[in-house]
């Protein structure tokens, strides 16, 4: 970092921004294999919270790679840098008082831990999409597993690149047995219980 860069403190705090929105900032980090339901469930939660009047933002793995991380590939180093950038962006959105959702395979424990450390205790909510590989591969919504099995794609998570299962996620969701509605209900109940949001009847 250059010596002439100095942090500038803002007059409006993250706490003041969140009070204005009547919610507590947090990051729901959806992690899991391709096809496990990360984007589907994150999008459904985003819609549910928006309809309840909450201020949210969703970051999706493929979308981010079209812009912010378009210069990165899928080597281990590039995956780490991808998650580092996303974590910093999520922190900025949370500082603005938003409820942030991110849907990234994020296969490495160290990368997820790195993002967790950016947030105060209780504000990083790891949501492990605990959907079996067989189900993800059967769905194969983007045709990626087929390409990986045939050797057209290298370093594909779950096939020839590892996925490190979270040891203590805040939530586990298995979309092979749970409906989208059940997953969203579980997430909303968690946010209510932790008082990140309040019930609005």
């Amino acid at each position: 970092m250059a010596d002439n860069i100095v942090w500038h403190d803002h007059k409006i705090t993250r706490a003041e921004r969140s009070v204005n929105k009547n919610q507590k900032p947090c990051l729901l980090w959806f992690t899991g294999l391709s096809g496990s339901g990360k984007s589907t469930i994150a999008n459904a939660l985003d819609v549910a919270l928006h309809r309840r009047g909450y201020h949210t933002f969703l970051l999706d793995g493929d979308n981010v790679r079209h812009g912010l991380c378009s210069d990165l590939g899928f080597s281990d180093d590039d995956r780490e840098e991808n998650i580092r950038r996303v974590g910093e962006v999520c922190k900025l959105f949370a500082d603005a008082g938003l409820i942030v959702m991110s849907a990234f395979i994020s296969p490495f424990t160290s990368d997820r831990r790195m993002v967790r450390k950016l947030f105060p205790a209780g504000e990083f909510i790891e949501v492990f999409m605990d959907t079996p590989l067989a189900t993800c591969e059967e769905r194969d919504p983007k045709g990626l597993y087929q390409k990986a099995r045939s050797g057209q794609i290298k370093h594909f998570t779950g096939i020839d690149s590892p996925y490190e299962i979270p040891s203590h996620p805040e939530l586990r969701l298995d979309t092979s047995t749970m409906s989208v509605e059940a997953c969203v209900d579980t997430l909303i109940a968690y946010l209510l219980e932790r008082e990140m949001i309040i019930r609005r009847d």
Side-chain angles (χ1 to χ4, degrees):
M1 182 178 292
D3 293 335
N4 60 344
I5 295 176
V6 178
W7 184 265
H8 183 80
D9 290 321
H10 297 166
K11 292 184 178 180
I12 306 299
T13 66
R14 75 197 305 270
E16 289 170 327
R17 295 182 193 281
S18 63
V19 166
N20 267 3
K21 296 175 176 61
N22 204 21
Q23 63 188 38
K24 292 182 180 177
C26 63
L27 168 61
L28 293 110
W29 188 272
F30 291 82
T31 175
L33 297 172
S34 178
S36 61
K38 298 181 300 298
S39 295
T40 298
I41 303 305
N43 269 284
L45 177 62
D46 193 25
V47 170
L49 290 172
H50 179 76
R51 287 176 175 169
R52 287 167 170 79
Y54 291 105
H55 302 260
T56 64
F57 198 83
L58 169 61
L59 290 146
D60 182 83
D62 281 356
N63 292 359
V64 167
R65 282 185 175 273
H66 275 87
L68 178 68
C69 297
S70 61
D71 59 322
L72 300 176
F74 291 92
S75 67
D76 287 356
D77 286 346
D78 279 0
R79 286 175 185 267
E80 179 181 352
E81 175 60 13
N82 183 55
I83 297 304
R84 188 196 69 80
R85 293 182 193 180
V86 169
E88 292 290 348
V89 171
C90 289
K91 182 179 182 296
L92 290 173
F93 279 123
D95 285 346
L98 301 181
I99 296 170
V100 189
M101 287 145 282
S102 72
F104 291 80
I105 293 174
S106 48
F108 302 125
T109 300
S110 59
D111 293 346
R112 299 190 299 264
R113 185 184 303 119
M114 171 179 62
V115 179
R116 183 184 288 272
K117 288 180 178 178
L118 295 174
F119 288 80
E123 287 190 15
F124 181 91
I125 302 164
E126 189 173 44
V127 183
F128 173 37
M129 302 305 297
D130 193 8
T131 304
L133 172 61
T135 299
C136 298
E137 193 164 358
E138 181 180 346
R139 290 173 179 166
D140 203 8
K142 303 171 187 175
L144 300 178
Y145 284 101
Q146 184 177 359
K147 290 181 179 179
R149 290 292 188 188
S150 67
Q152 296 177 60
I153 298 177
K154 300 294 185 183
H155 310 296
F156 189 75
T157 303
I159 304 301
D160 58 352
S161 185
Y163 177 82
E164 298 174 357
I165 295 173
S167 56
H168 297 95
E170 278 70 20
L171 289 161
R172 290 177 182 262
L173 302 175
D174 178 356
T175 58
S176 71
T177 60
M178 298 174 69
S179 67
V180 172
E181 292 76 13
C183 289
V184 171
D185 287 346
T186 299
L187 292 161
I188 293 288
Y190 182 92
L191 293 174
L192 285 168
E193 181 183 350
R194 297 321 190 269
E195 298 183 339
M196 312 307 285
I197 61 174
I198 59 173
R199 190 172 301 280
R200 293 178 177 176
D201 299 322

